[in-house]
């Protein structure tokens, strides 16, 4: 059985996913009580799937429209979950230039499951192949004398598309960006812009 938030998404999607709609109209469309509409809308807003306009009506964000179009099932508790990839993207935006160990140090906590190093590396690699990150030419030294060092990555301002974490669909080899409502193939990354003066001209591309 769909929870109330999914009923709201469906109602707005069937009405007009790009237009705003009042809570009163949602009550009519869904048959829910006004209190239920308000609570569910608050949950969806908190997850970045819906926004309230200056006119006081509700409208789907690009992530919300993607959820409706893809038929994604959204659980009310999972919707607000602070996932590892959400924390990784937040840390990447904070650091700008970093290594994988830098990010792990910021995102690891008691809730992390599985091989966190592998999970972070997989997500960072996908972001790089999708064109978000540039691999810097100079590696960071590590303890092992035989190791070439840790790769250093750079998130340029032009590639910082917003606060919502890009979603990795590994089986489809795609990254969906809820900030821009765009999907990027991992095997066909965006061209990287030239680095600013002083960063060096030998910065590698992502291919």
């Amino acid at each position: 059985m769909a929870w109330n938030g999914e009923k709201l998404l469906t109602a707005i999607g069937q009405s007009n996913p790009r237009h705003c709609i009042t809570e009163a109209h949602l009550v009519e469309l869904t048959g829910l009580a006004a209190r239920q509409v308000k609570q569910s809308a608050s949950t969806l807003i908190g997850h970045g799937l819906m926004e309230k306009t200056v006119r006081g009506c509700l409208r789907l964000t690009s992530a919300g429209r993607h959820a409706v179009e893809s038929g994604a099932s959204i659980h009310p508790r999972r919707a607000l979950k602070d996932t590892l990839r959400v924390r990784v993207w937040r840390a990447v935006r904070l650091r700008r230039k970093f290594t994988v160990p830098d990010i792990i140090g910021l995102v690891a906590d008691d809730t992390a499951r599985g091989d966190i190093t592998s999970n972070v590396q997989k997500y960072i690699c996908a972001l790089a192949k999708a064109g978000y990150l540039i691999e810097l030419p100079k590696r960071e030294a590590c303890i092992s004398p035989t190791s070439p060092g840790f790769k250093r990555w750079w998130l340029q301002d032009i590639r910082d598309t917003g606060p919502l974490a890009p979603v990795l669909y590994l089986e489809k080899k795609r990254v969906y960006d809820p900030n821009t409502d765009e999907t990027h193939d991992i095997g066909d990354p965006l061209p990287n812009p030239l680095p600013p003066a002083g960063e060096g001209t030998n910065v590698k591309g992502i291919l």
Side-chain angles (χ1 to χ4, degrees):
M1 181 181 296
W3 72 287
N4 293 338
E6 288 184 326
K7 292 180 180 179
L8 262 62
L9 289 177
T10 300
I12 296 177
Q14 292 176 344
S15 175
N16 193 322
R18 293 186 178 273
H19 288 180
C20 63
I21 187 170
T22 64
E23 290 183 1
H25 193 190
L26 281 173
V27 169
E28 296 176 2
L29 292 176
T30 62
L32 297 172
R35 175 180 55 82
Q36 292 174 308
V37 168
K38 185 179 293 292
Q39 290 177 342
S40 298
S42 178
T43 299
L44 294 172
I45 290 172
H47 188 46
L49 298 174
M50 184 180 287
E51 60 186 358
K52 182 168 286 188
T53 70
V54 291
R55 291 183 292 173
C57 57
L58 301 167
R59 179 174 58 195
L60 297 182
T61 62
S62 58
R65 293 195 300 272
H66 177 73
V68 171
E69 293 167 1
S70 65
S73 179
I74 301 170
H75 191 278
R77 292 183 180 177
R78 292 175 188 166
L80 297 176
K81 189 174 181 180
D82 190 25
T83 66
L84 175 63
R85 289 175 182 173
V86 167
R87 297 199 301 273
V88 169
W89 178 246
R90 189 183 303 143
V92 166
R93 297 182 72 223
L94 176 68
R95 289 297 299 263
R96 298 292 174 173
K97 294 179 182 178
F98 58 88
T99 64
V100 167
D102 289 335
I103 299 301
I104 292 175
L106 292 173
V107 304
D109 60 18
D110 294 337
T111 65
R113 297 180 179 179
D115 186 347
I116 186 172
T117 299
S118 176
N119 290 335
V120 172
Q121 286 177 331
K122 186 181 298 181
Y123 188 54
I124 294 297
C125 182
L127 292 178
K129 288 184 177 180
Y132 289 90
L133 304 176
I134 288 178
E135 181 184 342
L136 294 171
K138 186 177 180 180
R139 295 193 176 208
E140 183 173 303
C142 60
I143 297 176
S144 174
T146 59
S147 172
F150 298 114
K151 288 184 178 181
R152 295 176 64 242
W153 301 98
W154 178 24
L155 174 68
Q156 293 178 295
D157 290 344
I158 195 172
R159 293 302 187 216
D160 182 1
T161 56
L164 300 178
V167 181
L168 170 60
Y169 295 102
L170 192 59
E171 67 283 354
K172 296 181 180 179
K173 296 184 178 180
R174 293 177 180 175
V175 170
Y176 168 70
D177 193 329
N179 301 289
T180 61
D181 197 21
E182 295 176 342
T183 300
H184 307 298
D185 291 335
I186 294 177
D188 187 20
L190 298 171
N192 287 310
L194 293 175
E199 191 56 46
T201 57
N202 294 323
V203 176
K204 297 180 181 179
I206 300 302
L207 293 175

